Amino acid sequence: MKPVKIGILGLGTVGGGAAKVLQRNAAEIARRAGREIIITRASASDLSKPRLCDTSNIEMTTNGFDIISDPEIDIIVETIGGAGVVKDMVLQAIENGKHVVTANKSLIALHGNEIFAKASEKGVIVAFEAAVAGGIPIIKAIREGLSGNQIEWLAGIINGTSNFILTEMRDKGRDFADVLAEAQALGYAEADPTFDVEGIDAGHKLTILASIAFGIPLQFDKVYTEGITQITRTDVEYAEQLGYRIKSLGVARKTEKGIELRVHPTLIPERRLIANVNGVMNAVLVKGDAVGATLYYGAGAGAEPTGSAVVADVIDVVRALTSDPENRVPHLAFQANALADIPVLDSGDFQTAYYLRLHAEDKSGVLADVTRILADCDISIEAILQKPPAKNETIVPIILLTQVTQEHKLNAAIAKIEQLETVSGKVNRIRLETLG
Ligand code: NDP
Ligand code: HSE
């Protein structure tokens, strides 16, 4: 059979990593795909830059539309990123009958519904394994491996940059800005790193995971996101004294009322495997009704790990080139006409436990006032830690862990606690998941 020709839009960290893997493992890949796969064209914005892969047989251009309109090319790999002109490129590629492989989670989370509809109309595949959790084949695992299950919930460390920052800050006491700069130099961070540290990138990934887990349309605008920038060394230390680690977690959970979609710093019991996922590594826990809890672990960012996922998608597409479009695995795991309109819950309806840190006067009755407010709001306490005052101080830190409650009850309790004359400043709140 003739080789399959591919064109890569964007030959940076991921595009270059994927090309390098395709070149190095060409023979093994051809044995798997049943045909040789060759990169004939690629685009970048600065053609003088050095590349991770061998470009001697690749025709380079700064204009990706030239590649998209090349009739010789069967598959377009999109590894530029962003959702502006790139969306036009992907839609044009589909219009031209090309299959698309992308690592672009913002594009899929924001415009996936439109892109998949167009792809189905044109009978082409849009594959996006690399968009979530780097090298971990989590899309395939949920979409195909767990397709017999009702997924109850999933929870994951799905941003490598934030996990790298939290790990370095905790283990080595390093400065936030300094670790972020290293993550950028290593090619882990997004073009705009606030996407990483403010939970937006994880929100994009959670949007995709929830869609394939629960058979709902992609709806990033309904995801609650909270970043890691407010986490202090003090909270990390108190959490550890209570037997917990703080991780940025994406949680998608189906409840009787609807679906929770949330990304936020989270206390996790240190005995859980996922609490010990460090550095740029990612991990996703998926709970199915038949299989129980399953855990997937691997590198969440970087050139070759993400390239591995891109190449796997390319091979899948090559294998499917001769298949009937009607009988392919659906893009979002469920048949397009079977997606359900399940409501996504507001944050007030979230059900979780909480870590609270407040500062109060060191005198009798203060703790009783706080616990009475919590009881009045129907919130049970799991643990209390009161530290002695520092020398010459009369204010003491009090740390409380609550049992699972509804977030609107907790918000009401915090408002009342902050009004106590004996309590100074704001109550610091971090959600807690036992993941049992
Ligand atoms: P990079 O910035 O490393 O690469 C982007 C590439 O696109 C560069 O080669 C750049 O050219 C090229 N480029 C930019 N604009 C244009 C344009 N208008 N036309 C043609 N080429 C263009 O980004 P990453 O590889 O890190 O990220 C790419 C995508 O992969 C993003 O969607 C990202 O979210 C996603 N992703 C990234 C991961 C990672 O670990 N980095 C992991 C998983 C997904 P030049 O090189 O000349 O500047
Ligand atoms: N910036 C992303 C991260 C890249 O750090 O997880 C992988 O999607």
Side-chain angles (χ1 to χ4, degrees), residues 105 158-161 188-190 196 201 205 300-301:
K105 49 269 166 144
I158 46 179
N159 183 268
T161 301
Y188 300 156
E190 293 304 298
D196 295 290
D201 176 73
K205 293 164 176 166

Side-chain angles (χ1 to χ4, degrees), residues 397-417:
I398 299 173
I399 295 92
L400 294 133
L401 301 186
T402 77
Q403 292 188 352
V404 172
T405 185
Q406 262 185 316
E407 189 143 319
H408 68 81
K409 291 183 184 173
L410 189 93
N411 291 341
I414 288 178
K416 286 183 185 165
I417 292 170

Side-chain angles (χ1 to χ4, degrees), residues 121-423:
E121 186 194 312
K122 301 300 276 185
V124 298
I125 299 168
V126 175
F128 52 95
E129 182 65 70
V132 183
I136 307 173
I138 188 65
I139 301 293
K140 206 173 189 64
I142 298 176
R143 190 173 56 193
E144 294 163 52
L146 301 181
S147 57
N149 286 259
Q150 293 197 47
I151 307 295
E152 296 171 2
W153 55 264
L154 59 86
I157 294 171
I158 46 179
N159 183 268
T161 301
S162 342
N163 204 41
F164 181 67
I165 293 172
L166 289 176
T167 306
E168 291 288 306
M169 284 172 66
R170 172 183 166 267
D171 290 357
K172 299 180 191 158
R174 287 179 64 193
D175 189 55
F176 187 102
D178 172 39
V179 190
L180 175 57
E182 188 181 346
Q184 288 178 288
L186 289 166
Y188 300 156
E190 293 304 298
D192 176 355
T194 56
F195 276 39
D196 295 290
V197 298
E198 294 299 353
I200 299 163
D201 176 73
H204 290 148
K205 293 164 176 166
L206 191 72
T207 302
I208 299 170
L209 289 177
S211 184
I212 60 167
F214 305 127
I216 55 173
L218 296 150
Q219 39 204 325
F220 170 69
D221 55 334
K222 299 200 179 135
V223 180
Y224 172 86
T225 53
E226 193 179 304
I228 59 165
T229 49
Q230 303 304 317
I231 296 181
T232 63
R233 179 110 212 112
T234 311
D235 290 319
V236 171
E237 281 165 12
Y238 288 149
E240 294 208 355
Q241 287 172 31
L242 290 159
Y244 294 83
R245 296 270 167 84
I246 300 180
K247 295 285 178 189
S248 175
L249 208 65
V251 179
R253 178 181 282 130
K254 206 171 180 181
T255 72
E256 281 177 8
K257 283 180 156 184
I259 292 172
E260 294 180 4
L261 291 181
R262 47 192 170 95
V263 174
H264 47 71
T266 313
L267 269 76
I268 307 172
E270 66 188 3
R271 64 180 183 281
R272 298 272 177 242
L273 284 173
I274 198 166
N276 297 283
V277 170
N278 292 320
V280 74
M281 305 309 276
N282 279 191
V284 186
L285 258 168
V286 186
K287 171 77 166 39
D289 67 331
V291 70
T294 56
L295 178 65
Y296 309 84
Y297 170 82
E304 290 206 24
T306 315
S308 158
V310 169
V311 173
D313 271 350
V314 170
I315 295 170
D316 262 3
V317 172
V318 171
R319 286 170 173 154
L321 280 177
T322 51
S323 71
D324 166 12
E326 296 294 315
N327 293 312
R328 291 183 184 142
V329 179
H331 287 111
L332 289 173
F334 292 70
Q335 300 298 330
N337 61 4
L339 294 184
D341 192 17
I342 307 171
V344 175
L345 299 177
D346 287 332
S347 60
D349 286 325
F350 292 166
Q351 299 245 30
T352 185
Y354 296 85
Y355 159 103
L356 304 177
R357 174 166 61 87
L358 53 112
H359 292 91
E361 286 177 26
D362 185 23
K363 63 183 191 190
S364 63
V366 175
L367 199 51
D369 288 342
V370 172
T371 55
R372 182 183 37 76
I373 289 173
L374 289 170
D376 288 349
C377 292
D378 193 25
I379 298 167
S380 302
I381 296 169
E382 178 75 26
I384 298 182
L385 181 66
Q386 182 174 344
K387 306 301 274 183
K391 203 174 167 198
N392 301 326
E393 283 280 347
T394 53
I395 300 289
V396 289
I398 299 173
I399 295 92
L400 294 133
L401 301 186
T402 77
Q403 292 188 352
V404 172
T405 185
Q406 262 185 316
E407 189 143 319
H408 68 81
K409 291 183 184 173
L410 189 93
N411 291 341
I414 288 178
K416 286 183 185 165
I417 292 170
E418 285 175 348
Q419 278 167 14
L420 290 173
E421 280 184 2
T422 47
V423 169

Side-chain angles (χ1 to χ4, degrees), residues 10-15 43-46 49 51 62 79-82 89 103-105 130 187-188 190 301-302 306:
L11 211 54
T13 304
V14 178
S43 76
S45 49
D46 177 356
K49 272 193 198 170
R51 301 289 157 191
T62 52
T79 44
I80 294 177
M89 286 180 169
N104 190 336
K105 49 269 166 144
Y188 300 156
E190 293 304 298
T306 315

